[in-house]
Amino acid sequence: MTVLNTVYVVLYFLLCGVSVLTAASKILALRNNFSRSLSILAWGTLLAAGSFLIMYPAVYRWIGAVSGIPTLGALLIYLCIFGFAINSHVLVRLWSQDHGVVCPLGLRRLARPATLYPPLGIAMVALYFTASFNFPQELRTGRITAETHPLAVYFFATTWVAIATPLLATANHCSKIRMACQSEHPSISRGLRAVQIGALLLGSSYALKLVPLTASSFGAHHIDVLHLGTPLLSGAGTLLVQYGYLAPALGAWMDERRDFRTLRPLWKLTMQASDPRLALAPPGPLTEKLALNVTKWYLPRRIMEISDAIHALHPWMRPEPADRVRQSARSTPTPDLTAACAAATLIDAITRKRQGVPPRPDTPTTPLLSVPPAEERAHLVRMATALQHA
């Protein structure tokens, strides 16, 4: 049991660290893009971190010593987990709304289960303070016997039902919302799938605790093994839920990092061919190599600098290279074909300028200058990829 307890302590510290990092990332994101779902997510992850931190024996004992109630830490743990579960349920609806996904269930049907949560929370607190000194050992271990005070049975049953209800509701709603957003929002769908599985595991771990609770109240102890497995199940569920919270943002960050590195050859080519002074505060070697923090400044700046350089090279551009690419492709115009035409036009313009060909101010619009601003990043990435083609 000592080894197992050590494993649990390490697991709880790991989960606490993951929750703190998740909450910190969302709090930082709130500075630039405040939204209800983001604030609820940050608050929920802080509650999760708090619950795992209180599970550490030293913190648990310190709370008991300061408050004068030895088992107050247990109530705080359950309240934090209960709050995390409620936040997860509310977040599913708000998250889908923020990304324009219409939930097929309707808002009223989604909101009805939430009316159960305040009474359940009040019942948890009332039962605890009614008989908190009658079952201190049971609160520390989560186990009871046939001789345990009945209020302990009521407290644990109410608490575990209160925690399992919003988590299982979250998993149910995630499965329905995923069907509505799977094709249009794949990154959100992946995040919802992780939240769905994690909430199912976490909710099931508390629902399963009702089995040994019922058996122990009748004097049966042969299924106490569930007490050993449910913490691992809840830990895995928490990790999956936290990953689901981070999945869309993590996917967007990885896409931005990939695009930043893909644009590097195009950026260097256009800067050298037009005017290197267009590059304001260029990234250092470490940023260029690792591309870990490029979202807020370096990637948008790189796109703007490439666009400025392309406009500076416009007087040397001719339509003939793009026409030759279209004729050789002999296919229906696609974004990739447009990017290939733009790449050919750019290379030809750079060659003309280096050869000393005089610019022509009356040059017509080319594929490089006819892309909508919302599609500029994707177009430049495809164009940078086309430059690597023979």
Side-chain angles (χ1 to χ4, degrees), residues 18-321:
V18 171
S19 300
V20 169
L21 291 176
T22 304
S25 67
K26 298 307 177 184
I27 291 173
L28 291 175
L30 280 171
R31 298 187 307 170
N32 302 307
N33 181 26
F34 182 84
S35 66
R36 292 179 302 169
S37 60
L38 201 57
S39 59
I40 291 174
L41 195 157
W43 177 243
T45 51
L46 283 176
L47 288 174
S51 67
F52 290 116
L53 182 63
I54 299 172
M55 288 178 189
Y56 185 62
V59 177
Y60 187 97
R61 289 192 295 268
W62 177 80
I63 292 175
V66 171
S67 64
I69 305 176
T71 59
L72 182 62
L75 178 64
L76 295 179
I77 290 171
Y78 286 129
L79 287 177
C80 286
I81 299 172
F82 184 49
F84 172 76
I86 295 174
N87 277 24
S88 298
H89 189 193
V90 175
L91 183 64
V92 169
R93 176 168 58 89
L94 295 181
W95 197 8
S96 63
Q97 289 178 352
D98 288 344
H99 292 84
V101 179
V102 179
C103 177
L105 296 177
L107 298 183
R108 291 184 180 179
R109 290 185 61 190
L110 273 174
R112 285 176 187 171
T115 60
L116 297 174
Y117 303 150
L120 286 172
I122 294 172
M124 288 168 52
V125 176
L127 285 170
Y128 171 81
F129 282 106
T130 300
S132 59
F133 298 101
N134 292 331
F135 46 96
Q137 184 63 30
E138 290 81 353
L139 274 176
R140 294 191 186 96
T141 62
R143 302 181 184 183
I144 63 175
T145 64
E147 293 77 23
T148 302
H149 195 283
L151 284 176
V153 179
Y154 302 150
F155 171 77
F156 284 120
T158 302
T159 299
W160 294 337
V161 168
I163 293 174
T165 299
L167 289 170
L168 296 178
T170 298
N172 180 47
H173 296 326
C174 280
S175 66
K176 292 179 171 62
I177 294 174
R178 281 184 57 237
M179 293 187 292
C181 70
Q182 190 166 9
S183 58
E184 298 181 2
H185 304 272
S187 62
I188 300 176
S189 178
R190 289 193 295 270
L192 286 171
R193 181 178 179 84
V195 173
Q196 175 189 351
I197 298 174
L200 183 61
L201 292 177
L202 191 54
S204 299
S205 69
Y206 283 95
L208 286 174
K209 286 186 176 183
L210 295 172
V211 178
L213 176 70
T214 305
S216 297
S217 63
F218 289 99
H221 305 285
H222 59 282
I223 55 175
D224 281 351
V225 68
L226 288 176
H227 282 293
L228 304 178
T230 49
L232 298 177
L233 196 64
S234 61
T238 303
L239 282 177
L240 279 173
V241 171
Q242 300 287 30
Y243 169 76
Y245 285 167
L246 287 174
L250 182 62
W253 174 76
M254 293 180 66
D255 290 343
E256 290 162 352
R257 182 173 179 269
R258 179 201 62 209
D259 290 352
F260 177 80
R261 302 182 72 174
T262 301
L263 288 171
R264 182 183 180 185
L266 178 61
W267 175 74
K268 291 184 64 176
L269 177 66
T270 54
M271 289 299 102
Q272 293 171 358
S274 57
D275 187 350
R277 292 175 297 178
L278 290 174
L280 300 177
L286 190 62
T287 301
E288 195 71 68
K289 184 176 181 179
L290 301 178
L292 296 177
N293 186 22
V294 299
T295 303
K296 303 303 180 185
W297 171 256
Y298 287 114
L299 177 60
R301 185 67 233 173
R302 176 155 290 183
I303 294 172
M304 293 173 61
E305 290 168 355
I306 293 173
S307 179
D308 292 342
I310 288 174
H311 280 79
L313 293 168
H314 180 233
W316 285 272
M317 295 180 186
R318 298 294 180 271
E320 290 81 6

Side-chain angles (χ1 to χ4, degrees), residues 335-355:
D336 289 334
L337 179 58
T338 302
C341 293
T345 302
L346 177 64
I347 293 296
D348 180 73
I350 292 174
T351 302
R352 286 173 177 274
K353 182 181 179 183
R354 288 174 176 172
Q355 291 176 349

